Amino acid sequence: MSIDVKALGKVAVLMGGTSAERPVSLMSGQGVLEALRSQGVDAHAFDPAERDLGDLKREGFARCFIALHGRGGEDGTVQGALELLGIPYTGSGVMASAVAMDKVMTKRVWVAEGLPTPQWRRLGAGQHSLEAIRTVPDALGLPVIVKPAREGSSFGVTRVNGYSEMKEAVSLAAQYDPDVLCEEFIIGDEVTCPVLGEGETAVALPVVRIQAPDGNYDFEHKYVSNDTRYLLPSGLPEAEEREIQRIVVHAYRLLGCRGWGRADLMIRASDRKPFLLEMNTSPGMTSHSLVPKSAAHAGMSYEALCLHLLAQAGLDGRSTAEASGH
């Protein structure tokens, strides 16, 4: 499908923002900006932490590529602002962004529809007492993963191996979010699977298998070091890869995602059962990021991916053509 670059108009690449993931967003945004410009798009950097979003309207931007991560960029808030401004944007709409950002709400949706996700306990703002915390390993076993309910890029995440480590892990997660998610630890392969499209047309890209040193896929191993291995092809049996893709597309549709997304999963070693961990609705686009790697394996360059996502920009309930008045 050829894309008329001129018809895309003046484009803002939203990057930076105010979340803990600001440094990653700036890396993603810079990559997207350069890619779009290389394809002839009239693209400009726009940092909502330093600019009023109203400037988008005042300065005649026709659409936005959202390269923001975390709060304020991935949680439905900037999507809502762009809806009010009437400026089409990449990725999921207000509701899907808000639900997917909240790992507890995401799990509730998936569980209600029978999709597999690890057992969990939520510790709300008033439930961080020692007594409450000690009940978690009793319910979920050890080790247990403790993380903020609404954060990304592995910020505030701890693998807890003993009761004595729980209090510190919950305190760390609570620095990022008053709601703390404690999750059963699944021993096995860590994989991720991107999705492009919307509704019935949504398709999964190739599965990426992640091999991090000591199984510790933290911020350092995601964005800084080169020790993490990303296996493409995944090396999984074909039937297993297809089943993961099927589950991921189902999970994506259930949340109402559009444009693109990336699901993270664990495959339990004992029985090869896949478990959904979370859905990212504004995935990373850095040199280490997984959606570009998967797309490249499927024959889509980084530049082509950026252009494709931009061309699919829309508003809730309206096609891009309707949204831009064509």
Side-chain angles (χ1 to χ4, degrees):
M1 179 187 86
S2 66
I3 295 169
D4 181 356
V5 173
K6 292 288 174 274
L8 297 174
K10 188 178 178 182
V11 174
V13 179
L14 303 188
M15 63 172 98
T18 55
S19 82
E21 296 182 74
R22 176 179 172 81
V24 182
S25 171
L26 288 170
M27 287 192 285
S28 287
Q30 199 55 44
V32 170
L33 183 66
E34 289 169 13
L36 293 176
R37 284 178 171 170
S38 78
Q39 301 302 297
V41 176
D42 180 21
H44 305 260
F46 192 103
D47 187 345
E50 299 170 354
R51 307 274 309 273
D52 177 2
L53 283 174
D55 288 348
L56 291 168
K57 196 78 173 169
R58 286 188 285 271
E59 295 176 19
F61 283 99
R63 63 182 70 204
C64 294
F65 191 115
I66 298 178
L68 298 163
H69 306 315
R71 292 183 177 211
E74 201 169 350
D75 59 2
T77 52
V78 79
Q79 289 79 6
L82 294 172
E83 289 285 339
L84 293 173
L85 290 169
I87 301 173
Y89 53 91
T90 55
S92 289
V94 176
M95 185 193 72
S97 299
V99 174
M101 186 69 196
D102 188 320
K103 296 178 181 71
V104 173
M105 289 304 294
T106 298
K107 280 175 170 287
R108 285 172 177 157
V109 172
W110 285 342
V111 168
E113 297 289 341
L115 283 175
T117 185
Q119 296 290 314
W120 85 96
R121 290 291 182 275
R122 170 184 165 271
L123 295 175
Q127 300 172 303
H128 297 177
S129 69
L130 210 49
E131 296 72 40
I133 288 168
R134 286 187 65 82
T135 65
V136 172
D138 293 341
L140 302 179
L142 287 167
V144 65
I145 298 292
V146 176
K147 53 180 131 175
R150 293 172 290 262
E151 196 55 78
S153 290
S154 300
F155 286 109
V157 178
T158 309
R159 173 179 162 172
V160 172
N161 296 305
Y163 281 85
S164 60
E165 300 168 24
M166 278 296 297
K167 182 70 176 167
E168 191 178 339
V170 170
S171 296
L172 174 64
Q175 288 176 23
Y176 294 92
D177 194 310
D179 281 352
V180 175
L181 172 63
C182 305
E183 192 173 58
E184 169 195 9
F185 182 72
I186 305 291
I187 297 169
D189 290 331
E190 184 162 2
V191 296
T192 194
C193 181
V195 182
L196 298 180
E198 180 177 4
E200 292 307 305
T201 63
V203 292
L205 291 176
V207 174
V208 184
R209 189 153 57 98
I210 300 160
Q211 287 187 334
D214 306 319
N216 186 20
Y217 191 45
D218 57 9
F219 183 88
E220 175 79 15
H221 290 133
K222 278 184 181 177
Y223 302 109
V224 184
S225 88
N226 290 309
D227 298 337
T228 302
R229 294 180 64 211
Y230 303 103
L231 303 180
L232 267 165
S234 65
L236 300 173
E238 192 180 333
E240 207 168 275
E241 170 133 357
R242 275 204 309 270
E243 175 61 6
I244 287 166
Q245 290 176 314
R246 184 193 71 78
I247 287 172
V248 165
V249 169
H250 189 188
Y252 178 91
R253 288 173 179 160
L254 278 177
L255 295 175
C257 298
R258 70 164 188 256
W260 66 320
R262 195 196 78 231
D264 298 334
L265 307 90
M266 294 297 298
I267 305 172
R268 191 162 59 194
S270 60
D271 59 2
R272 306 304 296 169
K273 180 179 178 178
F275 289 85
L276 289 156
L277 300 180
E278 62 180 278
M279 182 69 69
N280 301 281
T281 54
S282 183
M285 288 291 279
T286 72
S287 60
H288 283 60
S289 294
L290 304 177
V291 176
K293 289 180 191 289
S294 176
H297 188 69
M300 187 182 242
S301 70
Y302 183 93
E303 292 78 12
L305 174 63
C306 291
L307 204 53
H308 170 79
L309 294 171
L310 183 62
Q312 301 299 309
L315 291 165
D316 279 343
R318 288 193 282 167
S319 69
T320 314
E322 289 172 327
S324 51
H326 295 305

